[in-house]
Amino acid sequence: MILVPPLRERPADIAVLARHFLAEVTSAVGPKLLTPDAEACLELHSWPGNARELRNVVCAAAASCAGMHVDAEHVRAAVALLSADGAPDVVDAAQIDAALERHGGNVTQAARALGVPRSTLRDRIRRSTPPPADDGT
């Protein structure tokens, strides 16, 4: 058995892993770079969800970033967006709309960019769409 210490005990690995995860989502969100402030912000978090939480935060931060540089503000918003276990807690309608627009309506690519399962995104789209009006006929 190999024991790997938790991510919070390996702060030097956080930026390296974050850049790796950012490279993984490049095809979905376009090329992105972490600013030094973003890397410092990542290193300050305790990462109770370990690398999976880090990956989800990096994906969410990249998806919310319109430009090329992911900064500390994007990271803080992504951390706030995700629960302690790294699972998406809330994705608001504006983020969904922006991701769908960026990906030409492709739900699979938008979900990947937001760091949520496709089924979750489809469900949230369904819930945010108002039901048709009853015209009384």
Side-chain angles (χ1 to χ4, degrees):
M1 173 169 27
I2 299 175
L3 295 175
V4 178
L7 197 51
R8 70 181 166 274
E9 294 177 11
R10 300 176 290 133
D13 293 348
I14 292 171
V16 174
L17 285 169
R19 286 191 294 270
H20 170 75
F21 295 140
L22 199 56
E24 283 184 344
V25 298
T26 294
S27 63
V29 298
K32 304 284 183 185
L33 297 172
L34 289 168
T35 65
D37 286 343
E39 289 182 6
C41 186
L42 289 169
E43 289 176 6
L44 291 174
H45 188 63
S46 64
W47 303 110
N50 267 320
R52 181 174 293 164
E53 181 184 9
L54 175 62
R55 181 187 182 284
N56 288 338
V57 166
V58 169
C59 290
S64 70
C65 174
M68 184 172 181
H69 293 94
V70 178
D71 61 24
E73 186 176 313
H74 297 112
V75 170
R76 281 191 289 275
V79 167
L81 177 71
L82 301 174
S83 64
D85 65 359
D89 189 26
V90 176
V91 176
D92 67 33
Q95 289 174 305
I96 292 171
D97 291 343
L100 286 169
E101 186 174 323
R102 264 195 311 277
H103 298 287
N106 186 310
V107 175
T108 301
Q109 288 179 355
R112 188 175 301 129
L114 290 169
V116 299
R118 184 177 60 85
S119 59
T120 300
L121 184 59
R122 278 192 5 244
D123 183 52
R124 291 183 182 168
I125 292 168
R126 200 173 306 122
R127 280 190 276 146
S128 68
T129 305
D134 185 10
D135 61 3
T137 57

